[in-house]
């Protein structure tokens, strides 16, 4: 039973063409996160939502935006993908802020051509 | 600036033997640590955690050891099984915020 679902699993987009990645959860967790993981690198937090409150990491490029229309869904929008944005994008959830393990989705691998 | 480091990108172990995966961190404010396991084409899944008030936490075949003075933690898997073959990520969190800082992962291969 997948609890954090990311769609699609693989996404190919053209350089500069806006793309949206989707994440949904059935856990009713308050917090949803988006991580970017490039090859052989650690996952890097882009931003998170605590309920409807959006928290952007200081070094997240403006090219990356997020929306959370309701508790279950969270979207990652890349306004103008560059070749350097090719990566695995991981969505994660947690019940609350604090020392609580995350539940991750399977990720979306983005290729920019 | 990598605050959590896993210096061994890969490790191979015979089935039945002990696997030891290491992780070092630089921030003394980190007080909660986790290990995640990741199979290809899947997201990371939580494996085991430890708080800084402890130096050991055990869950079945998995034990995590924390050495705060050395800023080092390790994951021991005994006995190792072929199904343990995966990438293992160490992650750390400080009291100041919710973000977890991840290491780059160690790919474990358990040879039957």
């Amino acid at each position: 039973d997948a609890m954090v679902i990311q769609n699609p699993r693989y996404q190919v987009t053209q350089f500069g063409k806006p793309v949206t990645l989707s994440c949904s959860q059935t856990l009713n967790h308050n917090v949803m996160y988006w991580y970017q993981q490039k090859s052989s690198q650690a996952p890097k937090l882009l931003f998170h939502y605590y309920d409807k409150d959006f928290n952007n990491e200081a070094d997240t490029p403006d090219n990356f935006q997020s929306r959370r229309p309701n508790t279950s869904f969270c979207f990652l929008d890349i306004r103008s993908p560059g070749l350097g944005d090719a990566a695995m994008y991981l969505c994660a959830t947690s019940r609350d802020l604090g020392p609580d393990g995350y539940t991750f989705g399977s990720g979306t691998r983005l290729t920019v051509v | 600036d990598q605050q959590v480091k896993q210096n061994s990108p890969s490790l191979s172990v015979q089935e039945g033997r002990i696997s030891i995966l290491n992780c070092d961190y630089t921030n003394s404010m980190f007080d909660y640590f986790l290990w995640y396991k990741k199979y290809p084409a899947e997201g990371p899944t939580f494996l085991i955690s430890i708080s800084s008030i402890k130096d050991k936490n055990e869950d079945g075949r998995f034990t995590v050891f924390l050495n705060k003075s050395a800023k080092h933690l390790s994951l021991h898997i005994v006995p190792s099984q072929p199904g343990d073959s995966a990438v293992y990520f160490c992650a750390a969190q400080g009291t100041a915020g919710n973000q977890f800082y991840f290491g780059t992962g160690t790919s474990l291969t358990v040879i039957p």
Side-chain angles (χ1 to χ4, degrees), chain A residues 9-10 16 29-30 52 63 70 74 78:
Chain A
R9 293 291 297 273
Y10 301 92
H29 280 175
N30 289 314
K52 295 179 182 178
N63 197 26
N70 53 53
C74 194
I78 308 176

Side-chain angles (χ1 to χ4, degrees), chain B residues 37-66:
Chain B
K37 177 178 177 179
K38 185 182 183 303
Y39 292 115
E42 295 183 16
T45 56
F46 171 74
L47 190 59
I48 192 169
S49 65
I50 189 166
S51 148
S52 60
I53 62 173
K54 293 186 173 183
D55 54 19
K56 177 182 173 181
N57 189 25
E58 197 170 350
D59 183 4
R61 296 184 298 112
F62 302 91
T63 303
V64 56
F65 294 93
L66 176 63

Side-chain angles (χ1 to χ4, degrees), chain A residues 17-90:
Chain A
K17 184 175 180 181
V19 65
T20 295
L21 309 182
S22 167
C23 177
S24 64
Q25 54 133 341
T26 59
L27 299 162
N28 206 34
H29 280 175
N30 289 314
V31 195
M32 295 186 79
Y33 310 83
W34 280 104
Y35 279 85
Q36 178 194 62
Q37 186 181 18
K38 296 185 178 180
S39 181
S40 301
Q41 295 185 21
K44 177 182 178 300
L45 181 65
L46 296 174
F47 25 61
H48 75 270
Y49 271 96
Y50 182 85
D51 194 14
K52 295 179 182 178
D53 293 333
F54 178 70
N55 297 272
N56 197 35
E57 294 302 305
D59 57 354
T60 298
D62 292 339
N63 197 26
F64 291 85
Q65 304 285 322
S66 186
R67 296 170 283 137
R68 189 179 185 186
N70 53 53
T71 301
S72 300
F73 285 88
C74 194
F75 300 100
L76 169 62
D77 300 308
I78 308 176
R79 293 193 296 188
S80 181
L83 297 178
D85 297 327
M88 173 72 81
Y89 289 88
L90 293 164

Side-chain angles (χ1 to χ4, degrees), chain A residues 9 33 35 37 40 42-43 45 57 97-102 104-106, chain B residues 2 32 34 36 38 41-44 46 89 93 98-100 102-104:
Chain A
R9 293 291 297 273
Y33 310 83
Y35 279 85
Q37 186 181 18
S40 301
L45 181 65
E57 294 302 305
L97 294 173
D100 194 2
Y102 296 175
F104 281 88
S106 298
Chain B
Q2 191 72 21
Y32 195 72
L34 303 93
Y36 285 87
K38 185 182 183 303
E42 295 183 16
F46 171 74
F89 289 96
Q93 183 195 49
N98 185 64
Q99 178 177 178
F100 281 100
F102 286 86
T104 51

Side-chain angles (χ1 to χ4, degrees), chain B residues 26-38:
Chain B
T26 58
N27 191 337
S28 58
M29 298 302 293
F30 287 149
D31 62 356
Y32 195 72
F33 305 88
L34 303 93
W35 285 94
Y36 285 87
K37 177 178 177 179
K38 185 182 183 303

